[in-house]
Structures are given as structure tokens and as C-alpha cells.
Amino acid sequence: MPDQEQTRLMIKVARLYHTHDMRQTDIAKRLHISQSRVSRLLTQAEEVGLVRTVVAVPAHIHAELEEAVEAAYPVSEVHVVDVVSDDESELGHDLAHAMAMLLAEVTFEAATVGFTSWSRTLRTMVDQMQPLRTRTQQVVELLGDLGPPLLQHDAARSTQRLATLAGAEAVFLRLPGVVPSVEIRDLLVSRDVYAREALALLDGIDLALVGIGACEVDPTLRSGDNFFTHEQFAQMRERGAVGEVCLHFIDADGEPIEGELDDLVIGVTRDQLRAAGRRWAVAGGVRKREAVRAAVKGGWVDTLVTDAATAEYLLA
Amino acid sequence: MPDQEQTRLMIKVARLYHTHDMRQTDIAKRLHISQSRVSRLLTQAEEVGLVRTVVAVPAHIHAELEEAVEAAYPVSEVHVVDVVSDDESELGHDLAHAMAMLLAEVTFEAATVGFTSWSRTLRTMVDQMQPLRTRTQQVVELLGDLGPPLLQHDAARSTQRLATLAGAEAVFLRLPGVVPSVEIRDLLVSRDVYAREALALLDGIDLALVGIGACEVDPTLRSGDNFFTHEQFAQMRERGAVGEVCLHFIDADGEPIEGELDDLVIGVTRDQLRAAGRRWAVAGGVRKREAVRAAVKGGWVDTLVTDAATAEYLLA
DNA sequence: GCTTGGCGCGCATATCTATTCGTAACGCGC
DNA sequence: GCGCGTTACGAATAGATATGCGCGCCAAGC
């Protein structure tokens, strides 16, 4: 956290550079510092968010697509993003960016925001986000930890950052997201007062930010690693599952597939999710498109951010 | 005006560069174009406004100053800008930038906007402006031409650009701003139907954008060059003038100083100006501070954009 | 007091970007 | 078709920016 003086300097440099179009060398001379320092100050200014550069993609280039999807599915708002490539990671990046922009413009209030920090797209989004004006009091994690400790760390950081940006308190759910048995789940929950608080908050979510998963082991996770196994996924697919929202499996029509796996998850329940005021989802790409269709068809999300290819798939 | 395809490319490049943080060389390889082209496309994207980089100066760092001035003078809004230097040209630049930002946020409607295109600060402002949402129908010049043909050309271009940005029609006042005698004025006006239209429009200005001038020959103009002479200014100073707003002289208390010079001006009248719904002025710097004080004291402006030093002078 | 570690800075320079220049392609008048 | 001006482009390179490295400063620990 840069101090007062540093910040003043950053602003001064940033303005001389960006608004007055001066070269770094000239700024350096003028302020009697080295060019390298100017360069570093500028980098900092970007990091801190003092300098923002936005690429104003003409909004709603895909307006027809959006309207068509909105008409065909029980979803209130669809945003179709013009992605630079269909490569999964870049696609995620673009979707994340778009959703960050969207959230920045939000005007409604949302005292309790639910957040799935294990979705990579959502974490990317948080990294790109600017301060929110949702008057949020708590940001609650919707699911326990998944994957290895490193990922858990990332997830926690992400939740924390979102909370900070929203001017809210971060409420963590620092338990495994998937456990081997109901007994273990109950045991863990009963012994963790923080987790119980978090789970209780999930009853009154105003805005849920969720991802949508294909019915398979996420490529970034490992089978069984605080997560369902390949076998468990296979089993659910046999029973018709094509995707999941917050680890709740749904079939091609978006109908929930109940089963014993539900009891192995520590996180938001189906009912709690359905009861959330707004449910924003971001997902796209070939791998997930079936899941996306199921999720919107079943009304699991009311605002969807996706790519053009997926939107077209939804209409096909 | 770049064509469709060009624009798509610009957006793509801009996003790869700014949002995906790719190097120009990599973008070039990826899109099978040269790096120089990427560089040029990026420049274009900035020019066209597809890419905007803003330095988020914490708003109202000088809030106390602003409130103090608002309390001390009959002015409804004061914006004190944190300028990078007191050098006149840089100061103008900063003030212009601030005013452009301000106008971008404007929400009210203004069907007729009056504009003084011969104020350098205002022209700088127009260059930095983004499209407005004032639902403007006409942008009318408040004064005739001043200075040499080159300047007149600049002024016209500026008015045109402002009109374009506002989605409005530009109404020019293509006559000399200052003439040698009343007879000539009447003759010129009587023979120019466009000018008469423009002058008529000045009766119903919703928003006037004006500069404030010290009572002297503007350094960028020449004595008598479609402008008042040194002698005329001296004469007005003897009669107590300390500044002018749209070439109407005012004394230290902001009271108008009437006289024969009024009849030599082709442009908005005092009464027309006073009747304008909103009167936004931008001015600052040591040379003009006395004039600024007079202008706000006399209620000639209702929104003032100025620098901290001038604001402090107003309170001294 | 003397290490030791961390940080902030400037120097030199590697890396990245803008510009110059030459070429080719296009439109336009003849 | 043939100059002729205009525009768009890429190669080379001038120019601007980022970064590895080392130094000096400060603070904490012994």
C-alpha cells in the first residue's frame, strides 16, 4: 500500500504521461527523478487503479442474439461477448472482463453477495473488477474448498478482494467443498462455528455470482481432490446429468438430479440458490455449452454472460 | 472515418493489447500483419476513442475550497482542478480536461448550446471531449471571428466537432467578432442571413460555454486583428474594467461597463447571456484571476472550473 | 555496534514501440 | 493506357519504455 506522498507522485506522473502526453524521460527530468522510476510509478498507478484504460467495445454488437436467447429461455438478461478467440483460457478472460464491466455499472443494492471463488472465470473477473456500488455488507462463499491448498489460497484471496471492492466483509467457508460422507460433513459443520455462520447467511442471498460446470472433473482440479471423482461424475452422467451449478447436478432440461452426492457437498443448497434475488452466471466455450443450456433452461440463472458461439448453440 | 473492417481489426488489436496484455509483436504474428500496423491501429483506436485511458484523480480533493467559494459568491457550482503546473498552457490543458470530464457526466438536456470557439481553453476542451448526452439540437457560436484566418479555421473546426459530439447541428457566426463601427456591423449583419439566424438562436441558450478574459489583448491575438486594440482595452481599464465575458467588460464588482465598444461586437448580448439557462466558465491562472473574481461576483457564470491557486485568490 | 534482510532507487541495457522510408496498389483525369 | 497524387503497408531502425543488477539506506535482531 503506497503512502500519501507516493500516491501524489503517481498521480502527477500519470497525468503528465497520459493527459499531457509527455515522454517518461521528460517527466523524469522535470521531477528530478530517473526514467525508470517514472516507468515504475506508472506501472503502480495502473495496478492501484489510478489509471484505467478501457476498450470501449460498442455495446451489444450481438443484440439480436441476446434478444433471441432471452426470448427462448426463462432468463431475464443475456450478454453476448465478442471474444477474441475460442481458446478456453482467453475466452474465460474475455467473459470475465465483460462481467466485471457489467458489475461496475450495477445500480441495484445487494446486501449479501454469494460468490463461487473456485470458478476460475469468476476469479479472473474479480482481478479485473473496479469498486462496486452495490452497498454490500457481506460477500459469502457459496462453496467450500475444492482442489489443492494453493487453489484454496487463491480462492480466499479472491473472495477477500471482492469483499474489499464491494466495501463489505468477507465471509469464508473454510471447509472442504466435497467430503467423503454425510457423517464427516455433519461433523465438520458442527465443529466449525464460522462455517455455520456462512451457511446461515446463504438463506438470504441478494446476488449470487456463479459459474456453470460441465458434468466432468474440471481440468484444473483432480479427481477426488476435495472434489467428486471421475466415477462419481460418470455415475451422474448415466443418470442424465449434463452439468452442474454450484455442484448441483442438472439434466438436459435443467431439472435437478437428486441423489446421495448432494449430501456430500458443503455449500449453498438448491433451495437457497433458487431463493437468491439475482443469479448471475458466466460461462461459455464448447466444453460447457450443454451445461449452459441446461442451466438457463432450468432457470438456474437470470443473467447470463456468454460468448457468441455458445449463444448460437443455445438457439440451435 | 475508418471502415467497418478496419474498425473490427482495431477493436481486436486493442483488446489483445490492453485487455490481454499481449505484446504488439505477438499480436502481429497472430493476426498475420506487421508490428507497425498493430502500432498504427492502436494509435487510431485511441484517436477514434475506442480506447480511453483515464487518470482517476480522486474527485474533489479540493472540496473545502470549492465549498468556500460557492458560499462566498453567487455561483452554484465550483470545480477546483488540481493542475500539474501554473504554466499557462499546461494549466489551460488541465482545466480543459477537467471541464471535458464534467461535460461527459452531464445528465440534463440542453437543446441549444452556445460556444465561444475563440477561447483556447475551450477549444482544447473540445479536442478532449467524448460524445455528450445533452440531446442538443444546435451548437451556436457566441461570438464572431477573432484573429487571423488560421485561428478562424480552428474555431470553426472546434465548433463543428463539438456539434458532432453532441449529435447536433453547428450554427456558425462567420462574421468578424469586432468591427470598426456600428455602421459596418449593421451592414454586415443585414447582408448575412446565416448570421442573423445564429444571432436569433442566442435568445434561447440552454447552456453557454464561455471563457473569461483579462482586460487586455489576448497574447494569442494581435491588437486590432478583428479584435479590440491596446488603446481600446486601456480605455476600458481606465473606466474600471478588469475583465470581460464574451467581450462584455465588467468592473471589479462584476458590474457591466457599458459603452460604445458594446456596439462593435458581433455576438451574444449581455442580456442574452444572462438569460441563458446555465453558464459554464473555465478560466484560471494569475493573469486572469482578477477577471475571474469579477465574473463570478457579478453572477456571469453559474458553474466555474478553475485551479486551486485562483480559487484561493477568490477567497483572499 | 554489527550483521542481515528488505526496500527503493538509478544505471545500463534488453525489450518493446513509433516512425521513417521505400514500394505497391488504387483511384482519377486525360 | 498512362502519369499523378494518395493511401496503405512492411522492413528497418530510431526512439521510448521496462527490467536486471547493484548500491545505499533503514530497521530489526543478536
Side-chain angles (χ1 to χ4, degrees):
Chain A
M1 183 59 66
D3 68 356
Q4 187 69 30
E5 194 45 39
Q6 181 88 345
T7 308
R8 292 196 81 78
L9 198 54
M10 264 163 51
I11 296 182
K12 193 147 198 166
V13 167
R15 293 213 314 187
L16 288 171
Y17 189 78
H18 293 288
T19 336
H20 290 254
D21 292 317
M22 282 178 70
R23 314 285 86 204
Q24 293 188 1
T25 326
D26 300 328
I27 300 173
K29 275 189 202 124
R30 172 159 174 173
L31 302 182
H32 304 290
I33 56 181
S34 71
Q35 177 266 319
S36 41
R37 192 157 171 214
V38 173
S39 171
R40 284 191 261 253
L41 282 165
L42 285 169
T43 314
Q44 263 191 72
E46 300 242 328
E47 278 167 5
V48 178
L50 264 172
V51 171
R52 270 182 292 236
T53 98
V54 296
V55 180
V57 176
H60 305 288
I61 353 175
H62 296 293
E64 341 73 52
L65 259 179
E66 293 175 348
E67 281 165 29
V69 177
E70 283 163 13
Y73 292 88
V75 58
S76 63
E77 222 174 292
V78 174
H79 295 267
V80 174
V81 179
D82 191 53
V83 297
V84 294
S85 112
D86 293 336
D87 168 73
E88 191 144 325
S89 110
E90 291 195 307
L91 187 136
H93 197 122
D94 280 342
L95 294 180
H97 187 81
M99 186 133 171
M101 293 289 115
L102 231 55
L103 275 170
E105 289 171 11
V106 144
T107 53
F108 59 80
E109 301 195 358
T112 305
V113 171
F115 176 61
T116 325
S117 56
W118 75 270
S119 152
R120 198 155 47 86
T121 308
L122 285 178
R123 285 203 309 281
T124 312
M125 179 196 82
V126 170
D127 287 340
Q128 307 197 19
M129 253 176 51
Q130 299 161 22
L132 289 179
R133 30 185 176 176
T134 42
R135 306 191 174 245
T136 300
Q137 264 136 41
Q138 304 99 16
V139 172
V140 199
E141 293 184 327
L142 293 173
L143 277 180
D145 288 321
L146 306 176
L150 188 62
L151 181 56
Q152 297 173 18
H153 180 73
D154 262 14
R157 210 174 33 76
S158 202
T159 304
Q160 181 58 62
R161 179 174 156 88
L162 178 60
T164 308
L165 287 168
E169 176 200 6
V171 181
F172 299 100
L173 187 49
R174 223 35 344 117
L175 285 183
V178 175
V179 293
S181 73
V182 190
E183 291 72 30
I184 295 183
R185 185 189 72 171
D186 293 344
L187 181 67
L188 287 173
V189 172
S190 72
R191 296 180 47 157
D192 189 330
V193 57
Y194 295 107
R196 282 207 304 280
E197 272 177 31
L199 290 170
L201 275 174
L202 297 180
D203 275 328
I205 301 173
D206 298 301
L207 169 62
L209 303 175
V210 301
I212 297 174
C215 187
E216 63 189 32
V217 175
D218 189 278
T220 59
L221 296 178
R222 276 192 323 216
S223 171
D225 193 6
N226 267 353
F227 199 52
F228 291 132
T229 60
H230 285 299
E231 293 70 36
Q232 287 171 315
F233 275 114
Q235 181 192 336
M236 290 314 284
R237 278 200 300 276
E238 269 172 35
R239 295 174 56 186
V242 300
E244 48 82 13
V245 177
C246 288
L247 293 187
H248 297 299
F249 292 94
I250 51 179
D251 69 17
D253 288 325
E255 294 301 320
I257 302 184
E258 309 197 8
E260 57 284 4
L261 291 194
D262 288 336
D263 297 328
L264 304 183
V265 174
I266 296 183
V268 68
T269 67
R270 251 194 296 270
D271 292 340
Q272 284 174 325
L273 190 55
R274 283 228 110 106
R278 295 159 196 265
R279 299 177 300 279
W280 288 31
V282 54
V286 180
R287 201 167 56 74
K288 289 191 177 175
R289 58 191 196 182
E290 233 187 319
V292 171
R293 171 151 68 185
V296 290
K297 202 163 181 183
W300 293 97
V301 308
D302 66 356
T303 294
L304 172 71
V305 176
T306 193
D307 59 302
T310 305
E312 268 157 14
Y313 173 81
L314 292 182
L315 296 172
Chain B
M1 181 61 64
D3 69 355
Q4 188 69 28
E5 193 46 36
Q6 182 89 344
T7 308
R8 290 197 80 78
L9 198 54
M10 265 164 48
I11 296 181
K12 193 147 198 166
V13 167
R15 295 213 316 184
L16 287 171
Y17 189 78
H18 293 288
T19 342
H20 289 255
D21 292 319
M22 281 177 71
R23 312 285 87 208
Q24 293 188 0
T25 322
D26 299 328
I27 300 173
K29 275 191 202 123
R30 172 160 174 172
L31 303 181
H32 303 288
I33 56 182
S34 70
Q35 177 265 320
S36 40
R37 193 156 171 215
V38 173
S39 171
R40 283 192 264 252
L41 283 166
L42 285 169
T43 315
Q44 263 192 74
E46 301 242 330
E47 276 167 5
V48 179
L50 264 171
V51 170
R52 270 182 294 235
T53 98
V54 295
V55 180
V57 177
H60 304 289
I61 353 176
H62 298 291
E64 340 72 52
L65 260 179
E66 292 176 349
E67 283 166 28
V69 177
E70 283 163 14
Y73 292 88
V75 58
S76 64
E77 221 173 295
V78 174
H79 295 268
V80 174
V81 179
D82 191 52
V83 298
V84 296
S85 109
D86 293 335
D87 168 75
E88 193 145 322
S89 110
E90 291 196 307
L91 187 136
H93 197 120
D94 280 342
L95 293 181
H97 187 81
M99 187 132 168
M101 293 289 115
L102 231 55
L103 275 170
E105 290 171 10
V106 143
T107 54
F108 59 81
E109 302 194 359
T112 305
V113 171
F115 176 60
T116 326
S117 56
W118 74 270
S119 151
R120 199 157 46 86
T121 307
L122 284 177
R123 286 203 309 282
T124 312
M125 180 196 81
V126 170
D127 288 339
Q128 307 197 19
M129 252 177 50
Q130 300 161 21
L132 288 180
R133 29 183 177 176
T134 41
R135 305 189 174 249
T136 299
Q137 264 137 42
Q138 305 101 13
V139 171
V140 199
E141 292 184 328
L142 293 174
L143 277 181
D145 288 323
L146 305 177
L150 189 61
L151 180 57
Q152 296 173 20
H153 179 73
D154 263 13
R157 209 174 34 74
S158 201
T159 304
Q160 181 58 63
R161 178 173 156 88
L162 177 61
T164 308
L165 288 169
E169 176 200 5
V171 181
F172 299 98
L173 186 49
R174 231 17 2 111
L175 286 183
V178 175
V179 293
S181 73
V182 189
E183 292 72 31
I184 296 183
R185 185 190 71 172
D186 293 343
L187 180 68
L188 287 172
V189 171
S190 72
R191 296 179 48 156
D192 189 330
V193 58
Y194 296 107
R196 281 208 304 283
E197 273 177 29
L199 291 171
L201 275 173
L202 297 180
D203 275 328
I205 301 173
D206 298 302
L207 169 62
L209 302 176
V210 300
I212 297 174
C215 187
E216 62 189 32
V217 175
D218 188 279
T220 59
L221 296 177
R222 274 191 326 213
S223 173
D225 191 5
N226 267 353
F227 199 51
F228 291 131
T229 60
H230 285 299
E231 293 70 35
Q232 287 171 314
F233 275 113
Q235 180 191 336
M236 290 313 284
R237 276 200 301 277
E238 270 172 34
R239 295 174 54 187
V242 299
E244 48 84 12
V245 176
C246 287
L247 292 187
H248 297 300
F249 292 93
I250 51 179
D251 68 16
D253 288 324
E255 294 301 320
I257 300 184
E258 309 198 8
E260 57 283 5
L261 292 193
D262 288 335
D263 298 328
L264 305 182
V265 174
I266 297 184
V268 68
T269 66
R270 249 196 297 269
D271 292 340
Q272 285 174 325
L273 190 55
R274 283 228 107 106
R278 295 158 196 265
R279 300 177 300 279
W280 289 30
V282 54
V286 179
R287 201 167 55 75
K288 289 191 176 175
R289 58 190 194 182
E290 232 186 320
V292 171
R293 173 151 66 187
V296 290
K297 202 163 181 182
W300 293 97
V301 309
D302 65 356
T303 294
L304 172 71
V305 176
T306 193
D307 59 302
T310 305
E312 268 157 13
Y313 173 81
L314 292 182
L315 296 172

